Amino acid sequence: MATDDMDALESQASALFEKRDGFNKERETRIRERDRFNESVKELQAKARNAKAERDGVNARVAELKGRLGGLRERLEAKREAAGEIHDENDESRGRLRPRWRLLEELREIEWELSTTPTLEIKDREAELIERAKHLKTQVEEHRKLDTRDDMYLMSLADSNAVGMEIRKIREEMDGLRETGQEHHERMLAFYRQADEERKRSDEAHKKFVEALESLREVNAELDKIIPELKKIRKLSQDEARFLAEKRNKVMAEKKKELAEEARLKLEAGEKLSLDEMKLIYGEE
């Protein structure tokens, strides 16, 4: 009966040891998976932080350009306003003046008359003609001043165009930077999404690790119950086997002694002995 119990317990223990080995392998596998996923999470988070830093750098440059753009727009508005004022004032001033060609033509006529008319004939009108010529020269000078202001207008317009070109250049750079910043932003989000997926896999591996560990504890708990009982039965079995062996040896010794006595009686009676009977008498195995 003890042997049957021992066989049953040994079979049960063997199955539990096999389970324990499987759970140990599962636990080690899940630990490696969890550590690999955690390392992947760290790498992806580092990449995401780098992408974020690049995006923030681009955004800082965009903000800087935006500030410059505001100043340039103010400059452009001021230059356009100044150019418009010059243009309007020149148009208004020229509107009050006679055409330059008429003034010059009349001035040449007066100068011709003063230089070609005899003094006696022009004496009465000379002062008037000189005064008229002076007035005409003043108006021609006004045209010259307006020409200078026209140059100022053109220069102001050229400055406005230069500022406008700079504004367009900055806008183009800002557009390119915004596109680059958006790319960095999308890369950052993609890395964070990948990190989240890897973290989920890590959590799942850790969950399975915990499950394997719990199963391992349960198996060990069952083994803790079986092993002492198995040792006890084994000890009882060994004691029983030793008792039976001793009993068998005792019976054999008595039987051997009995056979040896019978062989001696036969020898004393002059009967022929077999080889085994001779061995019994002379003590050979």
Side-chain angles (χ1 to χ4, degrees), residues 36-278:
R36 185 174 69 252
F37 289 136
N38 286 339
E39 188 63 29
S40 178
V41 168
K42 291 179 182 178
E43 293 176 359
L44 289 168
Q45 287 178 336
K47 290 180 180 180
R49 287 193 296 271
N50 289 337
K52 181 179 182 297
E54 291 174 349
R55 182 205 65 183
D56 292 346
V58 169
N59 288 345
R61 175 60 178 168
V62 170
E64 177 188 349
L65 292 174
K66 189 175 181 180
R68 286 181 55 191
L69 191 62
L72 288 172
R73 283 172 175 164
E74 291 178 0
R75 282 179 55 193
L76 180 61
E77 184 64 24
K79 287 183 176 296
R80 284 178 173 174
E81 186 176 347
E85 290 176 356
I86 293 172
H87 183 271
D88 293 342
E89 290 176 1
N90 284 6
D91 281 352
E92 184 179 352
S93 298
R94 277 201 170 87
R96 293 195 297 267
L97 294 174
R98 292 173 59 198
R100 190 199 312 256
W101 66 272
R102 289 189 179 278
L103 295 172
L104 292 174
E105 183 178 2
E106 185 177 350
L107 183 59
R108 283 195 296 271
E109 289 176 354
I110 291 173
E111 290 175 347
W112 174 261
E113 187 174 354
L114 287 172
S115 62
T116 58
T117 304
T119 304
L120 292 176
E121 293 181 7
I122 203 172
K123 181 178 179 181
D124 295 335
R125 297 177 56 243
E126 185 177 10
E128 180 184 349
L129 289 174
I130 291 174
E131 185 63 27
R132 178 62 180 169
K134 182 179 179 182
H135 177 69
L136 291 172
K137 287 179 180 180
T138 299
Q139 289 189 310
V140 171
E141 179 62 19
E142 287 296 321
H143 273 288
R144 190 191 65 77
K145 290 179 180 180
L146 290 175
D147 289 343
T148 302
R149 287 179 60 82
D150 282 342
D151 293 339
M152 291 174 60
Y153 165 73
L154 293 175
M155 290 176 62
S156 181
L157 194 62
D159 288 342
S160 298
N161 291 335
V163 173
M165 289 180 63
E166 189 173 357
I167 288 175
R168 285 193 294 274
K169 183 178 178 182
I170 289 177
R171 281 176 174 169
E172 290 174 358
E173 184 178 355
M174 287 175 66
D175 290 341
L177 287 171
R178 286 193 179 102
E179 184 176 349
T180 301
Q182 183 63 27
E183 290 174 358
H184 290 319
H185 181 72
E186 290 174 358
R187 285 176 58 240
M188 178 195 72
L189 294 179
F191 286 135
Y192 276 131
R193 283 194 296 269
Q194 293 176 32
D196 289 340
E197 291 298 323
E198 292 292 270
R199 187 180 292 104
K200 290 178 182 177
R201 295 186 181 99
S202 174
D203 292 343
E204 183 64 24
H206 182 71
K207 179 182 177 182
K208 291 181 179 179
F209 160 75
V210 172
E211 291 174 354
L213 189 61
E214 185 61 30
S215 298
L216 188 61
R217 287 171 180 164
E218 292 175 359
V219 168
N220 285 333
E222 291 185 44
L223 284 172
D224 288 342
K225 296 177 182 178
I226 292 174
I227 296 300
E229 186 66 22
L230 183 59
K231 287 181 178 179
K232 182 179 177 180
I233 292 176
R234 280 176 177 171
K235 187 176 184 306
L236 290 174
S237 179
Q238 289 171 356
D239 291 343
E240 182 181 359
R242 187 163 49 251
F243 171 77
L244 292 174
E246 290 174 354
K247 184 176 180 181
R248 184 177 63 251
N249 291 337
K250 184 177 180 180
V251 170
M252 288 180 66
E254 291 176 352
K255 183 64 175 176
K256 183 178 178 182
K257 184 177 178 181
E258 181 182 340
L259 292 174
E261 183 63 25
E262 290 178 359
R264 275 194 299 270
L265 292 175
K266 287 175 68 175
L267 180 63
E268 290 175 356
E271 295 181 12
K272 186 176 181 181
L273 301 178
S274 66
L275 181 59
D276 290 334
E277 288 174 332
M278 294 292 290

